[in-house]
Amino acid sequence: MVNSSSFDLVDNHPFTEIYHLFDRFRNGVWLVGIPSWLFGAFDRVTAAFADGYVSAIEFIHFVTAILFLMGWLYLRPKPDAGSEATLLQQYPLTGLEKTYLETAQSRMAELQDQHMIHQEYVLPFSYVCQIYHLLNLKHLESVHSFSLNNLRVIQVNQMQPTDIGGSIKFQTTLDSPFNALRIWRQPVVEVDLTLHTPFTVELSIPVYSGKRMTVMFNAIPLNQTQHKLFIDIYSDLKWYKPLLQLLLHAASCLTLFEDLPYLQKLANRKIHRLVQLDRIPNSETMWLFKRFAALYGSTIAPTQVIEPAEQH
């Protein structure tokens, strides 16, 4: 049974809280430093080539700025050993809930060698809002119309239920010839979306030459009106890792920023109808959420449930 009251954090020791605050502050300083060093490096490059002649001192300034930027990227704060695979263990779990999160950790452990970035947020919305958003394929076109630049879902190829979730394969196309995603993917690709557990969703995207980008979302209920969102991105791309991490951090922040108004809109609705099977559209793009509702809808308290959006 999905019982959100059992997900309150266990460790409230003041020293633990201070450590977590310091850890978040350290990561925040590092993230803020990236655009600062990028601006400094860009400024030195512009100054060096402004007059068409690069003097020795300008060259030294230019190289120094680049070295500082590279050094800052390498100074990325390191998480505790194994934290990506075990960070969900900070929650007290019993029964099925423990099984669900062990399933998520097992999948994350399989991908650990490809781990690129980790982000976590406490969001003031029911976790059902997040799951609804992640499993509604049409949200790739609407909610993320800016960041994905007119990406379109054109066909659902396969739907496969599992005992505690399900998976779906669907084709996407890049409508715009100016879409930046064309740099690293084909115009039409088949994407995998998997509901591993009621809390864990995996999005796997082909890039090129058999390489993939995989995003693991863990939406853990803290209470009936809050959840903690863990975002972990994995890839076997052989790009320069600090640069790829920088791009992925920026992309992840942008997509979350796009999510917030829609999640707020969902949270403001009367919360009693979304997981009612007879109210969920029968379209293929909603099949995976309908699977979630069939498995777990009866276990969600009325105050956790949201009404469907006007457009699907």
Side-chain angles (χ1 to χ4, degrees):
M1 179 175 181
V2 183
N3 181 6
S4 64
S5 62
S6 67
F7 284 90
D8 295 332
L9 293 178
V10 226
D11 197 348
N12 292 318
H13 193 283
F15 291 106
T16 303
E17 290 300 314
I18 291 172
Y19 172 79
H20 288 312
L21 284 172
F22 174 76
D23 192 53
R24 286 194 290 268
F25 174 77
R26 179 183 60 179
N27 281 275
V29 169
W30 181 77
L31 287 171
V32 170
I34 292 174
S36 301
W37 284 115
L38 280 171
F39 175 79
F42 179 77
D43 179 67
R44 290 299 86 204
V45 171
T46 304
F49 292 96
D51 56 3
Y53 170 77
V54 181
S55 67
I57 190 66
E58 287 174 331
F59 179 76
I60 292 173
H61 287 168
F62 161 64
V63 171
T64 301
I66 295 297
L67 289 176
F68 271 118
L69 171 60
M70 302 281 285
W72 188 259
L73 293 175
Y74 273 116
L75 286 175
R76 173 179 179 264
K78 300 295 182 184
D80 295 336
S83 63
E84 285 90 358
T86 61
L87 55 89
L88 300 180
Q89 291 178 353
Q90 62 186 289
Y91 298 94
L93 306 172
T94 57
L96 283 176
E97 295 163 350
K98 184 176 181 180
T99 301
Y100 293 150
L101 295 194
E102 285 176 348
T103 298
Q105 288 179 184
S106 176
R107 177 56 179 154
M108 293 167 73
E110 291 176 4
L111 296 168
Q112 188 57 38
D113 290 344
Q114 300 177 16
H115 191 265
M116 289 291 164
I117 70 166
H118 167 76
Q119 293 181 350
E120 54 186 85
Y121 306 90
V122 175
L123 300 177
F125 318 110
S126 165
Y127 88 101
V128 183
C129 299
Q130 191 67 249
I131 296 298
Y132 176 78
H133 171 53
L134 291 172
L135 299 184
N136 186 338
L137 301 188
K138 284 298 181 181
H139 286 173
L140 294 172
E141 301 179 353
S142 55
V143 178
H144 297 298
S145 59
F146 174 74
S147 61
L148 297 181
N149 194 8
N150 295 320
L151 179 139
R152 294 284 180 265
V153 176
I154 56 175
Q155 183 177 341
V156 175
N157 295 333
Q158 180 180 325
M159 297 173 287
Q160 180 66 47
T162 64
D163 290 342
I164 59 173
S167 63
I168 192 168
K169 294 181 182 290
F170 60 97
Q171 286 186 330
T172 65
T173 185
L174 304 176
D175 258 8
S176 171
F178 305 105
N179 195 312
L181 295 177
R182 289 180 179 272
I183 297 172
W184 55 51
R185 55 156 277 179
Q186 297 297 315
V188 177
V189 299
E190 186 176 72
V191 179
D192 297 343
L193 185 66
T194 303
L195 176 67
H196 287 290
T197 77
F199 315 118
T200 304
V201 175
E202 175 181 342
L203 178 68
S204 183
I205 309 160
V207 186
Y208 60 82
S209 301
K211 307 296 184 184
R212 299 189 76 87
M213 192 80 69
T214 301
V215 188
M216 295 291 296
F217 300 95
N218 286 283
I220 309 300
L222 298 178
N223 52 53
Q224 292 186 356
T225 58
Q226 286 185 312
H227 74 278
K228 192 161 189 176
L229 177 65
F230 299 92
I231 303 173
D232 288 272
I233 301 183
Y234 306 82
S235 180
D236 53 358
L237 287 172
K238 301 305 180 184
W239 291 16
Y240 178 60
K241 189 171 182 178
L243 177 60
L244 182 56
Q245 288 173 321
L246 174 61
L247 293 173
L248 292 176
H249 270 295
S252 182
C253 290
L254 173 60
T255 54
L256 181 67
F257 180 77
E258 290 177 317
D259 288 346
L260 295 178
Y262 185 75
L263 292 174
Q264 182 63 64
K265 181 180 177 181
L266 290 176
N268 288 339
R269 293 175 178 271
K270 294 180 180 179
I271 49 178
H272 64 280
R273 295 181 178 177
L274 181 60
V275 292
Q276 294 180 8
L277 289 174
D278 58 349
R279 299 184 63 87
I280 300 174
N282 288 320
S283 64
E284 293 179 330
T285 57
M286 288 294 292
W287 179 85
L288 203 50
F289 182 74
K290 193 160 189 174
R291 178 65 179 162
F292 168 85
L295 291 171
Y296 308 111
S298 63
T299 67
I300 297 172
T303 50
Q304 289 178 290
V305 184
I306 53 179
E307 287 188 341
E310 294 176 359
Q311 296 183 355
H312 299 281

